[in-house]
Amino acid sequence: MWHFAVSVFLVELYGNSLLLTAVYGLVVAGSVLLLGALIGDWVDKNSRLKVAQTSLVVQNVSVILCGVILMIVFLFKTQLLTLYHGWLLTMCYILVITIANIANLASTATAITIQRDWIVVVAGEDRSKLADMNATIRRIDQLTNILAPMAVGQIMTFGSPMIGCGFISGWNLISMCVEYLLLWKVYQKTPTLALKSAKVEESELKQLNVKKESDTKPAEGVQLIVEKDVTGSEPQQEKEVSCAARIAEPFITFRDGWVAYYNQPVFLAGMGLAFLYMTVLGFDCITTGYAYTQGLSGSVLSLLMGASAVTGIMGTVAFTWLRRKCGLVRTGLISGVAQFACLILCAISVFMPGSPLDLTVSPFADIGARLFESEPLPTIASPADKSEMAFATGMPNLLNGSAPANSDPEMSPEPVPLISVSLLFAGVIAARVGLWSFDLTVTQLLQENVMESERGIINGVQNSMNYLLDLLHFIMVILAPNPEAFGLLVLISVSFVAMGHIMYFRFAQKSLGTQLFACCTPDPKAISDSSPPGNTSIV
């Protein structure tokens, strides 16, 4: 719900521009990129229940605070613009983005511990059960993506953004209590969740440090003698070493996590998934913001997001069926081909009537003015003021923008055909089938092939890798925030999706060899008892 609403709120606050939404995405992506490994390490080092409860509370409380601040901004925006030349309003923007970023970091920790750790323990060693549980969780997630945006969109369309903020704050307060109790019940009914492998020390992480303690420590007998001789100075030395190690620990964890991720057998598969994040062809704040600038209301956007969630659910069904028929690795290959084929529609939409593509428009024209202007920002006209059209729409009218209120109707811009934006969203929505099937494939590959003691840090680095590519796509939008440059971003996005699936193809080729295109063979229903946990076969 918050994921959908925050992009619309930022566009509503900042006028007809994607700049503020791009800055928000940049901050979120940069934070997870830098802190993903540390978050995963924290998940590994603490008990499962503590991690789940702490991250849940921090996430929901942060969203509630953001909702309250946004309500105040919407209510007193005119007054805030006149105070300190608008800098007080700018500080409110910064505060909202900062708290929303904290909520996203807490959400990352929740996703790692629940979807990458708890579910593996609950499923035990049964691969088929793990696949079904992954698909079920994803269906629940997609179902909420249908209902939540529809509710928020209707409230914002027929009510106001301020009412939408209040609704989201109240909803998160209630859901936090319900989720907290449900986590406690699952923990009580699954005793194995209380048993967690001790976090492997940094010097013992798989394929990490080449240094060995035996190279730097004296023999046991010599060690005892040294301890007796320097008893007086030992405590001070230990204190100094401990302090230095404590300062260096986050940097060592960051380094070791990335090295461990690189040495995983599913590294290429994870990279392939990460490359799919370098795209504007998803229902994130950029795409929804672009659609908003093209005249689509919050109600229409919520319906489109609901349709994408339906196709996402279809993708989870396709995943379970393909995995049984073709095996896990081949499922990812088939899903990738299906996703790329659907995204061809998005590439075609760039050149269709109604596309605002115009590379002659400078993307930097209004950035400086918007950052330092003291005049009221343009606001989107209400849907009631827009003419209803079946297959054409005008650009959003600016109430206090450059177009004067008493302008000649004959000089108003021509309605923009909806062919381009329709093809764009048709491709995005249809591609969700392959996307979510591919996502579930890589998720299960990581679950089956990462040791339990490294599960948090490896998935934390995977999230960092995802956000690294996500960060690049937000940088692209910051450099070209105008809707006229969005078509170019679409073409770049399709190219990165293609590169991601090429990486996965290389992984599948290395894993299955000549059997990659052989007759489909299903995966075994359970892992062999002789196989050690977390180090199972990829096929």
Side-chain angles (χ1 to χ4, degrees):
M1 184 180 294
W2 172 249
H3 176 73
F4 166 78
V6 66
S7 59
V8 180
F9 288 152
L10 293 177
V11 172
E12 184 75 24
L13 283 174
Y14 209 64
N16 190 26
S17 175
L18 304 178
L19 181 60
L20 196 60
T21 59
V23 171
Y24 164 71
L26 179 67
V27 171
V28 167
S31 299
V32 178
L33 172 62
L34 296 176
L35 302 176
L38 300 180
I39 291 173
D41 186 64
W42 175 73
V43 171
D44 286 334
K45 288 182 176 179
N46 291 274
S47 66
R48 291 187 172 97
L49 185 61
K50 176 184 176 181
V51 170
Q53 292 177 336
T54 302
S55 57
L56 177 68
V57 172
V58 172
Q59 176 188 356
N60 285 277
V61 169
S62 299
V63 172
I64 292 171
L65 288 176
C66 276
V68 173
I69 295 174
L70 285 171
M71 288 178 64
I72 296 174
V73 172
F74 279 120
L75 190 60
F76 302 104
K77 183 178 179 180
T78 304
Q79 293 87 334
L80 291 173
L81 277 170
T82 60
L83 295 176
Y84 304 103
H85 303 286
W87 283 107
L88 185 59
L89 181 61
T90 302
M91 291 303 299
C92 290
Y93 292 157
I94 295 174
L95 186 61
V96 168
I97 291 176
T98 302
I99 299 177
N101 183 45
I102 294 174
N104 185 74
L105 291 175
S107 176
T108 300
T110 302
I112 291 174
T113 189
I114 300 298
Q115 299 182 22
R116 301 295 191 270
D117 187 27
W118 281 45
I119 187 174
V120 179
V121 176
V122 173
E125 297 184 347
D126 192 335
R127 286 187 181 184
S128 294
K129 184 178 180 181
L130 178 61
D132 292 337
M133 292 181 67
N134 282 327
T136 300
I137 288 180
R138 195 71 69 193
R139 287 169 196 152
I140 296 173
D141 182 56
Q142 294 302 311
L143 183 61
T144 57
N145 286 339
I146 296 175
L147 301 178
M150 288 179 64
V152 175
Q154 302 306 319
I155 291 174
M156 291 182 61
T157 299
F158 300 105
S160 67
M162 187 179 65
I163 296 177
C165 292
F167 176 79
I168 291 176
S169 297
W171 179 266
N172 275 268
L173 179 62
I174 297 173
S175 64
M176 178 178 63
C177 301
V178 175
E179 291 176 47
Y180 195 94
L181 293 175
L182 290 176
L183 285 175
W184 174 254
K185 286 190 175 183
V186 172
Y187 188 82
Q188 292 295 318
K189 292 183 178 181
T190 313
T192 51
L193 288 173
L195 306 175
K196 190 173 185 180
S197 298
K199 176 76 175 80
V200 180
E201 298 297 329
E202 281 78 1
S203 60
E204 298 177 349
L205 284 174
K206 185 178 66 173
Q207 300 176 347
L208 291 184
N209 296 336
V210 296
K211 295 182 180 180
K212 297 181 180 179
E213 293 182 356
S214 59
D215 296 335
T216 58
K217 290 185 178 180
E220 184 176 358
V222 179
Q223 178 74 16
L224 293 175
I225 295 175
V226 172
E227 288 178 355
K228 292 180 180 179
D229 293 339
V230 294
T231 303
S233 60
E234 183 67 14
Q236 183 177 358
Q237 293 180 0
E238 280 188 5
K239 183 177 180 180
E240 294 176 356
V241 173
S242 176
C243 182
R246 189 170 300 174
I247 295 175
E249 182 179 2
F251 302 97
I252 295 174
T253 301
F254 180 85
R255 180 202 65 187
D256 291 350
W258 281 88
V259 174
Y261 175 75
Y262 176 78
N263 288 304
Q264 293 297 314
V266 292
F267 168 71
L268 284 176
M271 284 293 295
L273 177 63
F275 263 62
L276 303 190
Y277 283 77
M278 175 62 178
T279 178
V280 295
L281 302 175
F283 279 90
D284 59 1
C285 56
I286 299 301
T287 307
T288 54
Y290 167 76
Y292 206 57
T293 65
Q294 294 302 294
L296 300 184
S297 67
S299 177
V300 173
L301 285 176
S302 65
L303 294 176
L304 290 175
M305 183 170 284
S308 74
V310 171
T311 56
I313 294 175
M314 293 170 59
T316 64
V317 175
F319 164 75
T320 55
W321 184 83
L322 285 173
R323 182 193 163 276
R324 284 194 297 265
K325 297 294 182 181
C326 305
L328 186 60
V329 175
R330 294 187 188 89
T331 297
L333 191 62
I334 297 171
S335 302
V337 173
Q339 181 193 7
F340 182 76
C342 294
L343 291 182
I344 297 298
L345 290 175
C346 300
I348 295 174
S349 71
V350 175
F351 308 101
M352 298 301 291
S355 173
L357 179 65
D358 185 1
L359 299 182
T360 62
V361 178
S362 173
F364 309 104
D366 63 344
I367 292 180
R370 285 186 179 276
L371 287 176
F372 300 104
E373 68 183 354
S374 58
E375 296 298 325
L377 292 169
T379 55
I380 306 297
S382 62
D385 298 330
K386 300 176 184 178
S387 60
E388 298 294 335
M389 301 179 186
F391 293 96
T393 179
M395 293 296 290
N397 299 319
L398 300 179
L399 294 180
N400 56 344
S402 57
N406 58 352
S407 59
D408 188 353
E410 295 182 357
M411 301 299 295
S412 60
E414 291 292 331
V416 179
L418 286 178
I419 298 177
S420 177
V421 71
S422 298
L423 277 177
L424 175 69
F425 279 98
V428 170
I429 292 172
R432 309 299 274 187
V433 178
L435 172 64
W436 287 117
S437 180
F438 183 81
D439 178 84
L440 285 170
T441 299
V442 178
T443 296
Q444 185 153 346
L445 286 171
L446 288 169
Q447 290 170 335
E448 293 180 358
N449 294 277
V450 176
M451 295 190 303
E452 180 181 353
S453 58
E454 296 180 352
R455 200 172 285 155
I457 193 169
I458 296 301
N459 283 283
V461 174
Q462 177 65 53
N463 282 334
S464 296
M465 199 68 224
N466 296 345
Y467 274 95
L468 173 61
L469 275 299
D470 200 36
L471 178 66
L472 295 179
H473 114 264
F474 280 112
I475 291 176
M476 281 198 316
V477 178
I478 289 176
L479 295 177
N482 297 332
E484 292 82 2
F486 191 80
L488 181 60
L489 303 184
V490 169
L491 298 178
I492 295 175
S493 300
V494 174
S495 301
F496 269 85
V497 170
M499 286 188 286
H501 289 307
I502 290 173
M503 289 184 182
Y504 183 85
F505 174 78
R506 179 56 182 159
F507 158 77
Q509 192 177 42
K510 291 173 63 176
S511 302
L512 300 181
T514 58
Q515 299 297 317
L516 179 59
F517 298 106
C519 295
C520 296
T521 55
D523 286 341
K525 290 187 177 181
I527 299 172
S528 175
D529 294 336
S530 61
S531 300
N535 193 26
T536 60
S537 172
I538 295 176
V539 182

